[in-house]
Amino acid sequence: NDSLYVSGVDGLGAFYNEFTYLNGNLTKIETYDANIKTNKLFTKTLTYTSGVLTSLSIFDETTAQTITKNINYNSSNQVISIEKI
């Protein structure tokens, strides 16, 4: 559960998310403590290769730490592993 990665977050439902799309793909989710967007908690960045999601990075705005997960596929485009790097 990545919500535990962000200090003090025990339920993401109470927070405000802003979504960014590029060519129909979700590329960024910015999470704030409220809809007035004065305190950003973290940013998730999604990376695609040929339209397929290949990695997800989570940047904690409070601690300046990043977690990245790479998604690996087989030749049939089925997920075979997700590795945290």
Side-chain angles (χ1 to χ4, degrees):
N1 184 347
D2 292 329
S3 67
L4 298 177
Y5 174 69
V6 179
S7 303
V9 174
D10 52 6
L12 293 178
F15 297 95
Y16 177 80
N17 292 305
E18 188 167 272
F19 303 96
T20 302
Y21 294 85
L22 179 64
N23 298 323
N25 292 322
L26 177 63
T27 57
K28 188 188 306 182
I29 304 168
E30 295 172 291
T31 301
Y32 298 85
D33 63 349
N35 63 354
I36 57 174
K37 302 192 306 184
T38 55
N39 185 26
K40 188 188 295 186
L41 300 174
F42 65 93
T43 300
K44 288 185 179 180
T45 304
L46 295 85
T47 304
Y48 299 82
T49 302
S50 301
V52 176
L53 180 64
T54 54
S55 73
L56 169 68
S57 294
I58 305 168
F59 178 71
D60 184 323
E61 302 285 345
T62 305
T63 64
Q65 294 181 345
T66 300
I67 291 177
T68 299
K69 295 179 181 179
N70 287 336
I71 304 166
N72 301 301
Y73 299 86
N74 64 16
S75 59
S76 300
N77 273 345
Q78 297 172 322
V79 174
I80 57 172
S81 66
I82 299 174
E83 56 186 340
K84 184 175 166 181
I85 58 170

